[in-house]
Amino acid sequence: MDEFEKMQAGEWYCCLDPALDTRRLRVFDAVHAHNATRPSARGNIAPELRAVLGTAPDTARIEGQFRCVYGVNIHLGDAAFLNVGCVILDSGRVEIGARSMLGPHVQIYCADHHRDPKLRSELIERALPVRIGQDVWIGGGAIILPGVTIGDGAIVGAGSVVTKDVAPGVTVVGNPARVVTPSRES
């Protein structure tokens, strides 16, 4: 298997590989086109960016100053919304469910670097998926770590660092994120 195939399979791979560099450069150009296009002309997602994403329905929206690495691993549900400055390091599959909202500068990381310092110095990593259910709200500046699943209807407080799975319908806050009793506002 080549390094991209290893990455897609969730196996250990070397992240600095000429073929991966070529893939990333194509995506970086598409991201640049999206971010450089006037919002009135861009629509929900610029065509260049939409072309490199795995799944991006017409109703999904990505605001400017967005960043991603491979694009193909990003799968957006209907009416998913990514606010300004979101970063998705999508070496692994990233699913963002229908009607989920990510606040400004939310960061999603899939790369899990090797624990062995020698292998880490050789840039060996693996890609773990991140799954965000439907109707999730992730507050600005939150960080979602590799391998995390966030259940339907959950809320992640602004600035939280999510290191473990979040059950459906709960609210988590803090670093590391922990469950808090959700308020029942009417």
Side-chain angles (χ1 to χ4, degrees):
M1 282 196 284
D2 65 23
E3 299 306 302
F4 181 75
E5 291 168 332
K6 291 177 192 175
M7 180 182 75
Q8 294 296 93
E11 295 182 13
W12 295 104
Y13 70 98
C14 179
C15 62
L16 287 186
D17 170 75
L20 290 178
D21 290 343
T22 299
R23 286 177 176 274
R24 286 189 293 260
L25 186 58
R26 176 175 174 247
V27 172
F28 294 162
D29 285 344
V31 166
H32 176 77
H34 174 81
N35 291 332
T37 302
R38 287 185 337 274
S40 61
R42 178 179 63 223
N44 283 342
I45 302 173
E48 297 89 344
L49 180 56
R50 186 181 302 281
V52 300
L53 297 178
T55 307
D58 290 341
T59 57
R61 183 173 185 86
I62 299 175
E63 294 292 353
Q65 304 315 307
F66 173 73
R67 298 282 184 261
C68 70
V69 183
Y70 295 100
V72 67
N73 292 320
I74 298 173
H75 300 274
L76 305 175
D78 287 326
F81 177 77
L82 283 64
N83 212 324
V84 297
C86 285
V87 174
I88 302 178
L89 301 184
D90 65 308
S91 52
R93 184 178 179 91
V94 175
E95 299 172 8
I96 300 173
R99 300 167 306 281
S100 288
M101 300 183 297
L102 280 60
H105 303 284
V106 167
Q107 300 171 57
I108 298 172
Y109 306 147
C110 292
D112 180 37
H113 300 282
H114 210 286
R115 302 309 180 267
D116 180 315
K118 181 180 181 331
L119 292 174
R120 192 169 52 247
S121 73
E122 295 171 9
L123 305 174
I124 302 299
E125 63 182 43
R126 64 180 173 177
L128 300 177
V130 171
R131 294 179 179 88
I132 298 170
Q134 297 182 12
D135 303 303
V136 172
W137 174 22
I138 300 178
I143 298 173
I144 314 301
L145 294 185
V148 166
T149 295
I150 299 174
D152 293 346
I155 297 172
V156 174
S160 296
V161 178
V162 183
T163 62
K164 297 181 180 176
D165 290 353
V166 177
V170 303
T171 299
V172 297
V173 299
N175 179 7
R178 65 195 180 290
V179 175
V180 296
T181 304
S183 64
R184 299 288 179 203
E185 297 177 354
S186 32

